[in-house]
Amino acid sequence: KTVAIKKSMISESFYRKNFLITGAGGSIGSEIIRQLIEYKPNIVVLLDNNEPSLYKINNELTQQFHEVINFFPLLGDACDKNLILNILKKYNVDYIFHAAAYKHVPLVEKNKLQGIYNNVFSTLNICKASLESNVKKIILISTDKAVRPTNVMGASKRLAELIIQAFENRSYKSEMSHLMKNNHKCFTLVRFGNVLGSSGSV
């Protein structure tokens, strides 16, 4: 069954708001930005540690939309909590789409520790940094491979999901209330299956 998107609700939430997209140069991150543009955001911060990919998406966006949307391409590591916190404060970010991840299963199997570090600790540090900022919502882009994972990539994404769920847990939020500045935050996630045309997928 197809679920109709209530674009009016999205528009009300996203219009003239500030966004951080991690993994902005990737196939998923860049498409999120293209879809987001429809709702006329104010600022979109593009974070990626891959220079060619970041250059490509920034060039595409600025050529088409620079007159109505402010794009800020930033080279950096999503695992760096201080970097994330500085970005959130400098650009007064309202929403985070966390799409940065190592997702090529065979490659992550050969680089297990780096895959775990990147996928798990980027999520943890983004959640921690968000507590010290005015961010309203953090959306983790997860994968169907996190369901009963049979590989390191899937397991690392499942751990990332558990982190998001822990931060959303009310008792945890109560304990961390001194950091939240009375600002409610929503920690959520969505699992993508095989996405046509995406890197490392179909």
Side-chain angles (χ1 to χ4, degrees):
K1 182 180 177 181
T2 302
V3 178
I5 298 174
K6 295 182 179 180
K7 292 190 174 183
S8 60
M9 290 180 62
I10 299 175
S11 182
E12 289 174 8
S13 299
F14 286 2
Y15 179 71
R16 305 311 291 167
K17 295 297 192 299
N18 301 338
F19 293 81
L20 166 63
I21 315 296
T22 71
S27 50
I28 301 299
S30 60
E31 185 59 29
I32 287 173
I33 300 166
R34 294 185 190 100
Q35 298 290 330
L36 181 62
I37 287 168
E38 178 182 349
Y39 302 102
K40 299 180 174 60
N42 178 41
I43 287 174
V44 181
V45 180
L46 320 172
L47 180 66
D48 207 299
N49 62 3
N50 185 298
E51 183 186 19
S53 297
L54 184 60
Y55 174 82
K56 182 178 179 181
I57 185 62
N58 182 62
N59 197 42
E60 172 191 329
L61 296 170
T62 52
Q63 284 185 3
Q64 298 181 55
F65 305 104
H66 74 280
E67 293 182 356
V68 290
I69 300 171
N70 299 300
F71 295 105
F72 296 93
L74 301 179
L75 280 169
D77 186 350
C79 294
D80 186 338
K81 184 197 167 188
N82 289 331
L83 172 65
I84 297 296
L85 182 56
N86 287 336
I87 291 171
L88 300 183
K89 289 183 175 181
K90 179 176 181 179
Y91 298 98
N92 196 26
V93 172
D94 297 296
Y95 294 89
I96 302 171
F97 282 93
H98 179 33
Y102 290 152
K103 58 186 178 181
H104 294 76
V105 172
L107 196 57
V108 173
E109 285 298 314
K110 294 178 181 178
N111 298 272
K112 294 180 176 66
L113 291 179
Q114 191 60 32
I116 293 169
Y117 172 74
N118 185 73
N119 294 354
V120 174
F121 286 94
S122 63
T123 306
L124 178 61
N125 288 332
I126 284 170
C127 288
K128 285 181 175 180
S130 71
L131 294 180
E132 301 175 50
S133 73
N134 293 319
V135 171
K136 297 179 177 67
K137 191 167 188 175
I138 300 89
I139 304 103
L140 168 69
I141 308 302
S142 189
T143 170
D144 58 349
K145 295 178 181 66
V147 183
R148 293 185 294 278
T150 58
N151 52 66
V152 173
M153 192 283 282
S156 69
K157 293 298 285 184
R158 180 60 186 141
L159 280 170
E161 290 182 354
L162 291 171
I163 290 167
I164 289 287
Q165 291 171 324
F167 273 78
E168 180 59 23
N169 182 276
R170 297 299 174 184
S171 62
Y172 181 91
K173 290 169 81 170
S174 176
E175 293 172 11
M176 300 298 289
S177 61
H178 65 287
L179 288 175
M180 295 184 66
K181 302 178 181 179
N182 299 316
N183 182 21
H184 174 73
K185 300 176 193 303
C186 176
F187 298 87
T188 188
L189 63 96
V190 59
R191 285 174 175 163
F192 284 12
N194 282 325
V195 181
L196 290 171
S198 70
S199 173
S201 192
V202 176

